[in-house]
Every structure is written in C-alpha cells, then in structure tokens.
C-alpha cells in the first residue's frame, strides 16, 4: 500500500536484492500442521503432528490431544512475548535504580510530573530520593511476587475487572515467576488440560500487561511524557544531504543517547560533506519512542525495514532488540550502510557490534555517530534514490496529553466532555489498532481499509507500534485526513483541536506510543470505566491487530481480552487445529471475561463485526 515501498521494491536495479516479500514467496506453501498449531516438539520423542481431519494420529506420542498441544503452544508464545516486554522494562528499571544509588549517568529523570503522579498513585508520600527508592521497590515486587503484582494491578485496573481476575485465580505471581510457571506447565507431561492451560495463558498475558505497564511508566519517568507535537513519516524523511542514522528496535535508551549526542557531530558531518549535518530517523518501536517524545521523523514500519536501506542514503542502521530482521545484514552489504547491533542478547552475523551500557552511553553513542560519518564518506551517490514521500504526522497522545487537553474544556471533570460525546454518539466508539505488519497481508492494507471503515462510522481510532507507523506513512495521523471521519466525529476533532494551541483539528487516528505503551490505552479505558462505574468490557470499545506477527502481539491481544476488550486479529492464529480451544477463544471465553477474540482476515468484514460489537455495547449501556 505504501508508494515509497512500492517504488523501491520495483526499481529494476534493485531487483537482485532479496527482501522479506521474496523470502515469503519462497516459503510457500507453509506447513499446514504449523499453521493450525498442531505440531509439538516439546520433547525428544517428537516432533509429533496431529491429523487435522480427525484421523490418526489424534494424539501425540505422550498422549496429549490436539487441544492440549494448541493451548500449550499458545502459552509458550505468550510467555515469550511477556519476557520480551518485561526484559525491556528491566533495562529501564536498572537505569533508574542506578540513578537512585547515585551512580553517575548521563540519564536523569526527565519527568518529575510522571514521577510524582506514580508516587501519588501508590500512596508514597515521600521526598524525591526516598520516593524513587520506594517506587523501584514496588516495581521490583511486581516483577517478582504475587503480592507486588496484586498491588500494582489493583491500583491500575478497574475494581470490577480486578475482582473478576482475582476470582478466576489468574493474577500473576509476579512477572518473572509467571513466565517461569508458564514454561514449566508446558513441559512434557505437565499441564495437559486445555482449559487449565488457557487460564495459564490468561495469567501469563496479565504478566505481560504488568511488565509493559511498568516499562511504559518508568520510561516516561526517565525519558519524559509524550506531548502533542508534529513530525513527519515515511521514507522521504531520509535526507540526501545529511548523514542518516536509522534507529530501530524497541529500547529507547540507546537511541535517546544517540539523539542527545547528535548536536555535537553536526560540524563533523558537514566537514565530511553532508551539508545538513546528522539526521536521525526511526524505524519500528524505537522509532516510535523518539517520534512521540522528541518528534524524530519515522522512516517506516516493520515489513519495510529493509526497504529503508534501499534508498542508498542510510549511513548507519542502529538496532537494539526485537523485530529486527537478520536479513538487514545482507541488504546493508549491498550498500555502504553500517548495520550496528548494540545489545549483548541481540547480535547479527555480518553486523558491527558496539555494546551499550548505561554508564558509557555517551561514548557508545559518539562511536556510533562517528562510524556513520565515516560510512557517509563512502556513500555511492549514484545509488541514492529517496522517494519524495512523507506525510505530516501529529503524535504524542499520551494519557497525560489527552487529560491536559480535556482539562482545558472542563477543569473539574475532564473526562466529562469526552464521555458526553460518546453518549451522544458523536464518538460512536473507540478502537485501538495495535500490532505489526505481516507478509501474509499486503503491507498496511488491513490497517488502512479498516481505519477508513471505522472512522466513517464515527469511531475514534487510537494506535500503537507498527499500526501507528502504518497510519503515519499514509497520512492518517495528520489533521488533513479529517475527511475519512464521519461528520459527527469530524465535529468533535475540530472542537478538541481548538484547545491544542496548534489551531488545527485533531487527526482521525491518535498515536499513543510503541507497543509497550498499549498499557496507556488500558489506563485511559480504565479511567473512563471507573468514572461511569462500569467495567472496561461494558464500554463501546474494541481492539484490532489486523496484521499481527510477533509473539508479543499475541500476548497483548490476550491481555486485551482478559481485561475486557474484545479483540480482532486479522491473521489466522496458529490455534485453529484445536477446535475446543478455538471455540473458547472466539466464543465461550465471553462467559468468564465478557470479551472475546474475533478472527477475521477480511478487513471489511472485520470492520462490520467490530461495528456490530460496539453497537451491542451501546445498546447494553442504553445509549
Ligand atoms: O513492539 S508492532 S512488528 S516493532 S511487535 Fe514489532 Fe509488531 Fe512492530 Fe514493536 Ni510491536
Ligand atoms: Fe510429542 Fe508429547 Fe513430546 Fe510433544 S510432548 S513432542 S506431543 S511426545
């Protein structure tokens, strides 16, 4: 769907360079057993595969059923997603811990506002130093114990949802112990009851939520709360006259230090011939972190990460963790682009490794920028071809930025004007778009078509992660895209826009952050539900990951449902081989969670189903 990507992919001189789309074609047909989730290699008697048509073999060698295998695989997927998010959280935690211990670092607390907000939330009536120590103790307890997890979740979720989860006995026993327990229960010959495994999946997804809520909050304390601002998105943000460094991955620590060191290197870049100095652009969630906090332009989202290199004008691609395609090394090899890995747990053959440590962040960042300037000197100008495509992008819709805006309208009850518009049907509902790109879907096709369908029905859209990237690239994060909304929603966005100081309407899609920031959306929904004295599941809201790919996105989708948000997924998940499991996830789960999964690959039908779901919720609320 992205013209910039299409242009470079189809360019005759670049045809020899293999990308994800080529490898996807070579991979066809993909294994049917795997597609259905019916293979198991959890022990060395396997791999075992269950016949999907009900014929023999109907059980693994150990005797486990198809539903058991599918549920067990789902648990493992969620555990990996939760581990990825919580490890990210730990990286931020450790920096704050060092600050609290007085270790000299280049990082400092950028948002005293967020820090105080958290102290208040957790009833910590302490000065700065003691407050920081105690806040970190709470985070640590949530990572490691049931008591800590209970405390953090009870303060974060609606009372009704918390009680429901407690009754179901799915409150995580701490983030890390829950991941451990989940992996344990999926060991050969342990949990074989698919219902019990699914409860385990729910519990582990809540550990994911907890880890990510800690990560997102602590990142805000350390790096600042995103505020409303304008930037630009798509490959046109790469500047032929600058040394271009793309930052890619998820951990904002590395990229933020590069950004902070950049001003010291503009002169050096100019001396090397780059008249515009050093230009930082973002890819995927690391890009999103810098986009929302610092207004750094976003080059592209996940499926087209290799395509950014094809512009011939990236001098360095700096990566940290998650969603980084190992193939980048081969693509960079075709150009002068330096691929630089920075984390000890994420190395790529063919890449240069510059290890990141918080204590030496400045030196590391300097070394990386110098490497990029050196690489620039050998840039082949004949190979430079940057599609002149980029879109205005309004971002920074953190809960704080939204509340700040609403406070200007109603100082006493900030949520009231928003809720009134929902009641009046001017905002028919809210849909969160999350998740990735996936080569099984034409890139961004589901995002764009669903957004158009839903916005037309006056549904307010919020986005995170690569969904936000998709909407940035196609212009839906710009106030100029107001026309995709129904008239009533247009009115609301024009009215709200009057209070931003930008003298522009708000865009149809509100970009709320990277994937760990999905917890921001839950915080807002919880606040609305508490105000109305209902649960999140009573609200006219839904989530959609129409092009999901990663294990993290499965974990997020599962916690969204666990927290009462009915969630659409647009790529067939690897569970359909378990008929009972599928029936539970798409239907019966409603009995216990009052929310379910909608599996639908057609974006138009999916939109209809979401609209129907929202209409039903409105009817139940009597609005
Ligand atoms: O955490 S949306 S492809 S970049 S997993 Fe990855 Fe998916 Fe993008 Fe960010 Ni989220
Ligand atoms: Fe096969 Fe059971 Fe071993 Fe899985 S755990 S590989 S189903 S024997």
């Amino acid at each position: 769907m992205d013209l910039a990507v299409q242009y470079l992919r189809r360019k005759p001189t670049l045809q020899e360079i293999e990308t994800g789309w080529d490898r996807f074609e070579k991979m066809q047909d993909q294994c049917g057993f795997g597609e259905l989730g019916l293979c198991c290699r959890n022990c060395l008697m396997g791999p075992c595969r269950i016949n999907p048509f009900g014929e023999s073999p109907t059980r693994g060698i150990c005797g486990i059923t198809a539903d058991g295998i599918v549920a067990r695989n789902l648990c493992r997927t969620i555990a990996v997603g939760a581990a990825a998010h919580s490890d990210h959280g730990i990286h931020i935690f450790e920096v704050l811990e060092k600050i609290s211990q007085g270790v000299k670092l280049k990082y400092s607390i950028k948002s005293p506002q967020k820090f105080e907000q958290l102290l208040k939330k957790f009833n910590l009536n302490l000065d700065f130093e003691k407050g920081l120590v105690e806040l970190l103790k709470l985070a640590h307890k949530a990572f490691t114990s049931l008591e800590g997890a209970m405390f953090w979740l009870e303060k974060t979720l609606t009372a009704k949802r918390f009680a429901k989860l407690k009754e179901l006995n799915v409150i995580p026993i701490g983030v890390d112990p829950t991941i451990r327990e989940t992996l344990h229960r999926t060991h050969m010959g342990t949990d074989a009851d698919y219902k019990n495994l699914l409860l385990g999946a729910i519990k582990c997804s809540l550990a994911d939520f907890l880890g990510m809520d800690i990560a997102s909050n602590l990142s805000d304390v350390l790096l600042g709360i995103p505020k409303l601002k304008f930037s630009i998105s798509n490959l046109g943000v790469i500047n032929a006259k600058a040394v271009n460094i793309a930052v890619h991955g998820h951990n904002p620590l590395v990229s933020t230090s590069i950004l902070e060191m950049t001003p010291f290197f503009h002169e050096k870049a100019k001396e090397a011939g780059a008249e515009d100095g050093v230009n930082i652009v973002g890819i995927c969630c690391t890009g999103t972190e810098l986009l929302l906090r610092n207004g750094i332009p976003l080059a592209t989202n996940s499926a087209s990460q290799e395509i950014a290199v094809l512009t011939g004008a990236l001098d360095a691609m700096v990566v940290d963790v998650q969603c980084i395609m190992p193939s980048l090394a081969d693509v960079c090899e075709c150009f002068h682009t330096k691929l630089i890995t920075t984390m000890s747990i994420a190395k790529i053959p063919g890449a240069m490794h510059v290890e990141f440590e918080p204590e030496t962040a400045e030196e590391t960042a300097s070394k990386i920028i110098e490497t990029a300037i050196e690489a620039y000197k050998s840039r082949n100008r004949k190979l430079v071809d940057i599609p002149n495509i980029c879109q205005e992008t309004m971002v920074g819709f953190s809960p704080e930025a939204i509340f700040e805006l609403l406070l200007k309208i109603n100082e006493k009850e900030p949520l009231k004007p928003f809720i009134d518009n929902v009641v009046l049907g001017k905002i028919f509902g809210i849909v969160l778009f999350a998740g990735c790109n996936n080569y099984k879907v034409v890139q961004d096709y589901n995002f764009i078509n669903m957004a158009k369908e839903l916005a037309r029905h006056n549904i307010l859209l919020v986005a995170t992660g690569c969904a936000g990237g998709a909407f940035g690239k196609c212009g839906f994060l710009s106030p100029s895209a107001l026309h995709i909304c129904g008239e009533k929603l247009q009115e609301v966005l024009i009215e709200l826009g009057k209070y931003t100081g930008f003298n522009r309407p708000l865009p149809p899609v509100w970009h709320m952050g990277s994937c760990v920031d999905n917890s921001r959306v839950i915080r807002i929904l919880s606040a609305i539900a508490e105000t109305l004295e209902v649960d999140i599941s009573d609200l006219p809201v839904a989530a959609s990951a129409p092009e999901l790919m990663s294990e993290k996105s499965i974990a997020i989708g599962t916690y969204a449902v666990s927290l009462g948000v009915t969630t659409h997924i647009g790529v067939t998940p690897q569970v359909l081989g378990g008929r009972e499991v599928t029936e539970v996830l798409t239907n019966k789960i409603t009995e216990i969670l009052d929310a379910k999964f909608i599996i639908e690959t057609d974006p138009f039908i999916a939109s209809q189903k979401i609209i129907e779901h929202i209409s039903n919720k409105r009817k139940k609320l009597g609005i």
Side-chain angles (χ1 to χ4, degrees), residues 228 400-409 496 499-500 506:
L228 297 185
E400 291 80 3
I402 296 170
F403 277 107
E404 207 175 287
L405 186 72
L406 295 174
L407 271 171
K408 290 183 190 160
I409 305 173
L496 288 175
Y499 299 88
T500 59
L506 295 185

Side-chain angles (χ1 to χ4, degrees), residues 146-172:
L146 172 64
E147 187 201 356
M150 295 258 275
F151 185 70
W152 194 286
L153 288 176
E154 192 169 14
K155 294 271 179 206
T156 305
L157 303 176
T158 61
K160 287 188 177 163
R161 185 56 43 171
F162 183 76
K164 193 184 280 275
L165 298 174
K166 211 169 146 197
E167 194 190 313
L168 286 169
N169 203 16
V170 291
I171 301 286

Side-chain angles (χ1 to χ4, degrees), residues 186-464:
T186 64
H187 184 276
M188 183 269 171
T190 310
D191 204 348
D193 175 348
Y194 79 87
K195 287 184 189 160
N196 202 39
L197 280 159
L198 289 180
L199 285 169
I202 290 170
K203 183 172 175 180
C204 195
S205 78
L206 292 168
D208 181 54
F209 171 75
L210 186 54
M212 122 170 11
D213 193 53
I214 297 171
S216 176
N217 275 305
L218 295 188
S219 297
D220 279 356
V221 171
L222 186 65
L223 304 170
I225 298 172
K227 296 277 160 72
L228 297 185
K229 56 175 70 67
F230 282 91
S231 185
I232 43 175
S233 301
N234 214 333
L235 291 177
V237 306
I238 298 172
N239 179 352
K241 292 183 190 159
V243 171
N244 292 298
I245 302 177
V247 289
H248 174 21
H250 289 77
N251 182 330
L253 294 171
V254 186
S255 44
T256 302
S257 57
I258 293 176
L259 184 64
E260 285 175 357
M261 289 310 287
T262 299
F264 303 105
F265 287 89
H266 285 315
E267 274 316 308
K268 202 162 185 187
K270 284 178 190 169
E271 279 163 24
E275 56 184 273
D276 288 350
V278 180
N279 180 38
I280 310 286
V281 300
I283 296 178
C284 287
C285 284
T286 285
T288 303
E289 299 266 350
L290 295 198
L291 171 69
L292 264 81
R293 291 204 176 87
N294 312 93
I296 293 303
L298 188 82
T300 201
N301 55 349
S302 73
S304 43
Q305 51 188 274
E306 296 160 304
I307 306 294
V309 183
L310 301 190
T311 59
L314 276 193
D315 304 297
M317 168 92 89
V318 187
V319 301
D320 48 75
V321 284
Q322 305 163 22
C323 307
I324 301 147
M325 301 214 295
S327 59
L328 282 171
D330 303 324
V331 183
C332 287
E333 187 80 348
C334 303
F335 297 85
H336 70 295
T337 313
K338 283 276 177 211
L339 178 65
I340 305 173
T341 53
T342 55
M343 306 293 276
S344 62
I345 60 159
K347 295 190 180 178
I348 299 174
M352 169 183 179
H353 186 75
V354 182
E355 183 99 5
F356 169 82
E357 294 291 346
E359 288 83 352
T360 50
E362 215 170 66
E363 289 90 324
T364 311
S366 303
K367 186 170 173 194
I368 288 171
I369 302 172
E370 273 170 356
T371 305
I373 295 174
E374 269 313 298
Y376 169 84
K377 291 179 188 164
S378 52
R379 188 193 283 179
N380 182 346
R381 283 171 183 61
K382 285 190 204 129
L383 296 182
V384 174
D385 189 358
I386 307 168
N388 186 19
I389 296 177
C390 67
Q391 301 282 354
E392 178 189 57
T393 301
M394 187 181 187
V395 296
F397 288 86
S398 58
E400 291 80 3
I402 296 170
F403 277 107
E404 207 175 287
L405 186 72
L406 295 174
L407 271 171
K408 290 183 190 160
I409 305 173
N410 187 332
E411 212 182 319
K412 282 194 186 135
E413 296 171 273
L415 281 175
K416 191 168 183 300
F418 189 84
I419 291 171
D420 287 349
N421 278 314
V422 174
V423 172
L424 290 170
K426 286 187 162 187
I427 298 174
F428 191 69
I430 305 169
V431 170
L432 158 67
F433 277 106
C436 330
N437 286 144
N438 184 324
Y439 295 112
K440 290 179 178 171
V441 180
V442 172
Q443 186 188 20
D444 304 338
Y445 177 83
N446 286 358
F447 284 122
I448 292 174
N449 285 304
M450 288 184 69
K452 282 188 190 162
E453 284 299 298
L454 298 173
R456 197 159 64 85
H457 283 86
N458 298 301
I459 292 172
L460 177 65
L461 308 175
V462 300
T464 53

